[in-house]
Structure formats: C-alpha cells, structure tokens
C-alpha cells in the first residue's frame, strides 16, 4: 500500500492550495491599495480644503468655505457652523450648507444653542451620534425641518478659545460617521481656527485704518469750523460705516427731566427715531448714560430695555450703546444697531468705539464753545446796533421832526402844510418802530427764555408721568426763527393739551407729536393709538384749542383714522392774522 502522499489523486489538491493563497493575497493587496488610494484622495481633498479656507481674508467668506468644505470632506448632506457669542452661552451666528433659502425661511429663526447644539457649547469635545434623537439632550426639530439622524460635531478653537462648532448630519449612503471622519473634521477645525484668526486680524487691521481715517476727517472738520450738528452727523455716520451698523442714533439728556431726546438718527427707519423722547431709567441708552460704560444687546427685538419704541427697530438685532464723554462731561449716548442675524458687537469693536465717542464729546464741547462765542459776538452787535439807533438815528429823526414843526408855521399854502404835518406824523411813527426794534434787540439780548424746540421737548417730557410712556416728538423746519413768540406760546399750550387729552381719555399705548413749519404755516399734530374720541368727551379742551386757532387765523381738525386712535391737527399761519 502506498502512502497518502504518493496518491496521484492528491496532486491537484496540493497544486490548488498555493493558487488560493495567491488570490487571497492579491485581493488583500488590492483592498489595501484601494484604501491607500482612498486615504490619499481624502488627504488631498483635506489639503485642498485647508488651502481654500486659508486663502480667504473676509471672515464671512472664511466661515462659509469652512462649512462647505466640512460637508464635502465627510460626505455629509447637511453642515452648519455656529459662532458662540462672547459670554459663551449661546450661538450668535449660524451658517448652513445643504439647506435651501426656502427651507430656511420655512424653518424660521436660526437656533440659539439648545439641545445637541448646546451640548457642544457646554462640552467642547468631538461628538459622534448614530441617531440624534437617542441622545438625552435632544428634544426634536422645529416644524418644516428636514429629517436628520446621524451626527458629528467638533469645536473650532482660535488661540485656545472656543470660537464655535461644526455640525454635520446625514452621512450619505445611510452610513454612520466613523473615527476617520472625526479625525478629518478635527484636522479641518484646526486649520479653520488659524484661518479665522488670520481673517479677524486682517479685519481688525482694516478697522483700525478706517478709525484713523475717520479721526483725521473729524479733526479736520473741527479745525475748519464745522457746526456741532455737522460734526455729530459725521461721527455717527463714521461709526455706522466702520462697524457695519444699519442704524446710528445720537441721544442727548434733557436737563431736569430724567429723559433723553434723539438729536440725530441715520440709517434704517431713521425717521421714526428723530425727535423721540425716552426715559433714562429702564432703557438701554439710559443705562449707558447712567453707568458711563458701554451696554450691549444681542437682540433689540427681545430686549426688555427696548420696550419704549421697540416697533422702531424692524428687522434689526444686535445693538450697543456707548456714552459720549466721561464723568460729569457726559454729553449723550451713541447707539449702533445691526441687522437681525448679524454678529453681536465684540469687545474688540467696542473699545475703539469708546475712544471715538470720546472724540465726539470733545467735538460737542468745542462746537458749543464756538456757538457761545458767536452768540456773544451777535449779542454785542445787537447791543451796538441798538445804541446806534437810539443815539444817532432817533436823535436825527427827532431833530428833523422838530425842524419840520417849526417850518410848518411858516407854510401858508394849505396843501403844503398838510404834507408837512403828514411827514411829521410819519417821522413819529418811524421813531416808534425804531424804539420797538431796539426793545426787541435788547429783550433777545437778555436771553430770558428757551427756544421753541427746547420748550417743546420739555413739554413732551412733562407729559410722561401722566401717559405712562414717552411720546414720540418730531420737529421740522425753522421753528426758532420763523415762529413768533405769540404763536409759539399757543403752540406749546396746544401740545400740552393734546398730550393731556391722550393721557386722560385715549387709553393709548403710543402717542406721536409733530411740530412743523412749512410754507408760512405752523402745524401741531398729536396722534395716538387709543380708543378714539368719545362723542361726549374732550369738548371743553378742544373748544379752547379751536379758539386759539381762530384767534391766529388758523383752524383745528380732529379725525379718527381707520386703524383706530385719534389725530389732532392744529394749523395756524406763522404771522398772526387775527380778525
């Protein structure tokens, strides 16, 4: 018997074993080659993404490129980058990839950092989940939100500080995110931190250049003798431009009233802010004035300190109020507001803004001193003119009149005598006019009262306790120069009575008052959103207002708009035309 090793039937079996091993080895080599090729391709794509992100210097574009590159690298259907606000508790900015504009509008406001997103804010470490809904911090998605299952999130650090987080969901093909995806995304996050830091440094450098240029322009304006209003407007416009704000508002304190009045407004819905009076206590701008330090808000639409006139900020979000000046030299408050969804104001932005606001205080001080000097010069000129009129013109006219009176006795012709007497009467009338002019010049020189604008602001402020809110006040035209004293006194009485009627009868939440001079007429308008005019109410007060208008040759109108409330319009000529 031969042994099994001599069996010719086993020859094929022995020959087949090496062949099988070779095929397995070839398959394994091919698999490893495919893996190496895949790894090489992924590394190349990662390097391309890093280079692409690093080429950008605009921060917004950097963030968008990071979001898009993250989705491509780990083959995710959806990606988002959330920027954490300075206090480190919620998201201040949210960029997405893979979601259309229509879907974003249907979903509603961007998340602020709750649920799984908040988990990464509280614990800035990579997080992988096979199913989002299985995590204890998950509480579902808002209506119209696309379904999402798998999740991968990593933090982005800039100089050892967590700047934000990358969120990836729905790996294509139904697979889960693995450790390699996490490693690739973490590597991208490191490169993103460097790119973000570079973009921020570049942006800060450009901002400093703009501040320097703006400071130079304002200094030039001050030295060239620009008015206070021009310099304040230039400062507000400069701050608005440098910090990318949609609205800039300058408010100044009203003496002895505890209120602030808007002196200047530029940008979005600026008309709604001009002339508005608001209380210092309980408001964002009032807090900045009281503390002498900047006060910021992440969203004016939800901030209780903006409850006075919140409807004046449609479509706006982050805000900062900076005091103008320091200590006892506080001159007012500069408010800047960005559009909703824009980043909040950072400390790096607010610090140079404080210095800029300090320059605004110097500008206001210098302009006021210049105005005082001009006022003194004007008063001295008036006093000189009054003396000259009294000592020269009147004396010469009086002397001429005496001469004519003496000559009249020598005139025998009746018609000539009548003309001489008429000339003497005209001289007497001229002397009376000049004396009245002298009195007017010297009464203005005494400076006893405030102008109409200032007194109107005070009148509106005095109505706040009765109303329970600050009325909006707007003033248009040359109120202080074109409105005579008599008409101004009537107008102030109408304004006070109109606001008092709103407080007593309207049960309103809002009131607006306007004083405007146009085409030789002064118009006082008071509008509220209350219950309208009851048939039996407000009659005695309205009768008095109507009589005031008739005395001056004007009229009073009272209407009820379709939307409710009452509109009072008191219109009189700027020169009294009483019958």
């Amino acid at each position: 018997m031969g042994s099994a090793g001599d069996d010719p039937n086993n020859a094929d079996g022995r020959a087949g074993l090496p062949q099988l091993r070779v095929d397995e080895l070839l398959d394994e080599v091919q698999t490893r080659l495919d893996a190496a090729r895949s790894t090489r391709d992924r590394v190349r794509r990662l390097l391309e993404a890093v280079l692409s992100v690093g080429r950008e210097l605009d921060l917004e574009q950097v963030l968008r490129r990071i979001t898009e590159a993250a989705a491509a690298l780990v083959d995710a259907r959806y990606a988002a980058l959330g920027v954490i606000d300075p206090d480190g508790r919620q998201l201040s900015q949210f960029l997405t990839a893979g979601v259309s504009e229509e879907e974003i509008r249907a979903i509603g406001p961007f998340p602020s950092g709750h649920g799984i997103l908040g988990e990464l804010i509280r614990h800035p470490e990579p997080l992988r989940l096979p199913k989002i809904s299985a995590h204890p911090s998950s509480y579902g998605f808002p209506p119209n939100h696309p379904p999402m299952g798998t999740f991968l999130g990593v933090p982005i650090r800039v100089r050892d500080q967590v700047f934000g987080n990358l969120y990836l969901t729905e790996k294509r093909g139904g697979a889960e995110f693995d450790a390699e995806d996490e490693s690739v995304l973490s590597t991208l996050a490191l490169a993103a931190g460097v790119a973000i830091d570079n973009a921020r440094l570049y942006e800060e450098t450009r901002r400093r250049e703009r501040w320097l240029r703006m400071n130079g322009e304002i200094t030039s304006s001050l030295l060239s003798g620009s008015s206070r209003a021009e310099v304040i407007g230039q400062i507000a416009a400069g701050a608005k431009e440098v910090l990318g704000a949609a609205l800039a508002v300058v408010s100044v304190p009203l003496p002895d009233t505890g209120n602030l009045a808007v002196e200047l407004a530029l940008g979005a819905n600026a008309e709604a802010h001009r002339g508005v009076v608001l209380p210092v206590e309980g408001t964002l701008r009032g807090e900045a004035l009281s503390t002498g330090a900047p006060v910021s808000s992440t969203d004016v639409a939800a901030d209780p300190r903006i409850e006075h006139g919140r409807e004046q900020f449609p479509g706006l979000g982050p805000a900062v109020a900076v005091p103008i000046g320091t200590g006892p030299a506080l001159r007012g408050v500069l408010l800047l507001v960005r559009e909703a969804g824009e980043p909040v104001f950072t400390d790096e932005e607010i610090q140079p803004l404080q210095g800029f606001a300090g320059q605004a205080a110097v500008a206001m001080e210098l302009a006021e001193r210049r105005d005082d000097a001009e006022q003194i010069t004007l008063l001295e000129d008036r006093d000189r003119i009054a003396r000259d009129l009294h000592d020269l013109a009147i004396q010469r006219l009086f002397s001429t009149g005496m001469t004519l009176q003496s000559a009249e006795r020598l005139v025998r012709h009746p018609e000539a005598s009548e003309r001489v007497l008429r000339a003497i009467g005209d001289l007497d009338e001229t002397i009376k006019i000049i004396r009245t002019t002298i009195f007017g010049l010297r009464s203005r020189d005494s400076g006893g009262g405030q102008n109409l604008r200032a007194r109107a602001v005070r009148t509106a402020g005095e109505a706040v306790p009765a109303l329970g809110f600050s009325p909006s006040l707007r003033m248009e035209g040359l109120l202080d120069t074109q409105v005579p004293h008599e008409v101004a006194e009537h107008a102030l009485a109408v304004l006070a009575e109109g606001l008092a009627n709103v407080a007593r009868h309207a049960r309103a939440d809002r009131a607006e008052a306007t004083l405007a001079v146009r085409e030789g007429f002064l118009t006082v308008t008071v509008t509220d959103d209350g219950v309208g005019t009851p048939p039996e109410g407000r009659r005695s007060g309205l009768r008095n207002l109507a009589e005031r208008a008739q005395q001056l040759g004007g009229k009073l109108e009272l209407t009820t708009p379709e939307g409710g409330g009452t509109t009072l319009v008191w219109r009189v000529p700027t020169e009294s035309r009483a019958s």
Side-chain angles (χ1 to χ4, degrees):
M1 289 175 48
S3 66
D6 296 331
D7 189 350
N9 295 325
N10 288 335
D12 293 340
R14 288 196 299 270
L17 288 174
Q19 184 65 38
L20 288 173
R21 292 192 186 99
V22 170
D23 290 341
E24 291 174 356
L25 288 172
L26 288 174
D27 289 342
E28 185 177 349
V29 169
Q30 184 64 42
T31 301
R32 292 188 179 184
L33 286 173
D34 291 341
R37 188 179 297 109
S38 175
T39 302
R40 183 196 64 190
D41 292 342
R42 199 164 199 184
V43 169
R44 188 187 72 249
R45 286 191 292 136
L46 176 59
L47 290 174
E48 289 175 350
V50 169
L51 291 173
S52 173
V53 168
R55 278 195 296 265
E56 286 289 346
L57 287 175
D58 180 77
L59 183 58
E60 184 78 17
Q61 290 301 319
V62 169
L63 299 181
R64 198 160 297 283
R65 279 188 179 273
I66 292 169
T67 309
E68 295 169 353
L73 282 173
V74 298
D75 206 20
R77 184 181 298 275
Y78 305 109
L81 192 157
V83 179
I84 302 174
D85 67 3
D87 63 11
R89 290 183 295 180
Q90 60 183 3
L91 299 177
S92 62
Q93 195 175 2
F94 200 75
L95 294 90
T96 62
V99 185
S100 66
E101 292 295 330
E102 292 76 12
E103 289 175 313
I104 292 173
R105 285 193 292 269
I107 294 170
F110 283 122
S112 58
H114 301 290
I116 296 297
L117 305 187
E119 185 71 17
L120 267 171
I121 296 175
R122 293 185 293 272
H123 308 287
E125 299 294 337
L127 178 64
R128 270 189 293 135
L129 300 174
K131 194 171 184 61
I132 295 177
S133 58
H135 194 278
S137 297
S138 176
Y139 59 84
F141 297 104
N144 303 313
H145 196 286
M148 295 180 180
T150 55
F151 176 87
L152 172 59
V154 297
I156 298 175
R157 287 182 169 84
V158 176
R159 296 190 180 188
D160 298 327
Q161 290 186 346
V162 179
F163 173 83
N165 296 304
L166 274 172
Y167 309 106
L168 287 302
T169 61
E170 288 299 293
K171 188 175 178 68
R172 297 182 188 276
E176 297 180 9
F177 295 106
D178 55 24
E180 187 177 344
D181 292 327
E182 181 181 319
S183 176
V184 168
L185 202 60
S186 297
T187 303
L188 177 65
L190 288 174
V194 175
I196 291 169
D197 193 28
N198 289 338
R200 290 167 72 177
L201 289 173
Y202 176 72
E203 185 175 308
E204 183 179 349
T205 301
R206 291 188 60 196
R207 192 184 305 122
R208 286 179 179 175
E209 290 177 355
R210 291 196 293 268
W211 282 128
L212 289 173
R213 175 175 54 82
M214 204 63 62
N215 285 331
E217 292 176 358
I218 291 171
T219 301
S220 176
S221 296
L222 288 172
L223 295 176
S224 65
S226 297
S227 67
R228 177 180 184 274
E230 290 173 338
V231 174
I232 294 302
Q234 192 174 2
I235 288 171
K240 174 177 173 292
E241 176 192 343
V242 173
L243 294 182
L247 173 68
V249 181
V250 176
S251 306
V252 295
L254 298 176
D256 305 323
T257 64
N259 293 325
L260 283 167
V262 173
E263 181 172 328
L264 178 99
L266 301 172
N269 201 31
E271 297 79 8
H273 296 268
R274 293 175 184 141
V276 170
V277 177
L278 67 155
V280 170
E281 188 170 353
T283 61
L284 184 75
R285 281 169 275 185
E287 185 177 339
L289 186 72
S290 302
T291 61
V295 180
S296 58
S297 172
T298 57
D299 184 8
V300 291
D303 196 320
R305 296 170 296 181
I306 312 291
E307 62 184 15
H308 296 276
R310 190 175 297 173
E311 70 282 353
Q312 296 166 354
F313 299 89
L316 301 180
V320 62
V322 179
I324 300 175
T326 56
L330 276 174
R331 297 279 172 171
V333 179
L334 171 62
L335 175 71
L336 297 177
V337 191
R338 285 175 173 157
E339 292 182 351
E342 291 290 315
V344 299
F345 290 91
T346 63
D347 291 339
E348 291 76 11
E349 293 174 319
I350 295 174
Q351 287 177 359
L353 178 60
Q354 281 185 271
F356 197 62
Q359 188 173 14
V362 174
M364 294 171 76
E365 177 77 19
L366 180 59
E368 288 174 5
R369 293 294 174 265
R370 187 184 293 124
D371 289 344
D372 290 343
E374 292 175 354
Q375 184 69 16
I376 290 173
T377 302
L378 176 63
L379 295 177
E380 289 175 347
D381 284 345
R382 286 178 174 173
D383 189 52
R384 177 183 57 78
I385 293 169
R387 286 198 307 269
D388 290 346
L389 286 174
H390 183 272
D391 297 341
L392 300 176
I394 288 183
Q395 296 304 323
R396 296 192 67 168
L397 289 173
F398 185 75
S399 176
T400 303
M402 294 292 291
T403 301
L404 288 174
Q405 283 182 337
S406 299
E408 187 270 334
R409 291 194 295 270
L410 302 176
V411 177
R412 301 302 179 194
H413 195 283
E415 185 177 348
S417 177
E418 182 182 351
R419 290 185 179 182
V420 171
L421 291 175
R422 191 182 307 128
I424 294 171
D426 289 343
L427 286 173
D428 288 340
E429 189 65 28
T430 301
I431 291 173
K432 289 180 182 179
I433 292 173
I434 293 176
R435 288 187 185 278
T436 302
T437 303
I438 293 172
F439 177 78
L441 287 170
R442 287 178 172 168
S443 64
R444 287 179 181 270
D445 182 51
S446 65
Q450 291 180 313
N451 55 37
L452 177 56
R453 283 178 175 269
R455 296 177 67 190
V457 170
R458 183 180 293 275
T459 300
E462 291 171 350
V464 171
L467 290 168
F469 57 86
S470 295
S472 170
L473 176 62
R474 303 182 194 178
M475 291 174 279
E476 303 174 10
L478 302 176
L479 293 171
D480 296 332
T481 58
Q482 292 187 354
V483 180
H485 177 74
E486 179 189 7
V487 178
E489 293 297 326
H490 283 290
L492 292 170
V494 171
L495 176 62
E497 178 66 21
L499 292 175
N501 280 338
V502 174
R504 287 194 295 262
H505 306 291
R507 300 201 295 273
D509 297 319
R510 180 175 56 83
E512 296 180 0
T514 303
L515 277 73
V517 173
R518 302 188 192 94
E519 299 177 354
F521 283 87
L522 169 66
T523 304
V524 180
T525 306
V526 179
T527 303
D528 64 69
D529 63 350
V531 297
T533 307
E536 70 284 356
R538 304 193 193 181
R539 291 306 167 195
S540 60
L542 291 177
R543 189 182 309 112
N544 291 336
L545 299 186
E547 289 175 357
R548 287 179 182 272
Q550 290 173 1
Q551 290 174 10
L552 299 174
K555 61 180 180 178
L556 171 73
E557 294 181 355
L558 195 71
T559 59
T560 301
E562 294 183 1
T566 303
T567 298
L568 180 150
V569 180
W570 188 84
R571 188 169 185 265
V572 298
T574 52
E575 295 296 338
S576 178
R577 303 174 188 176
S579 56

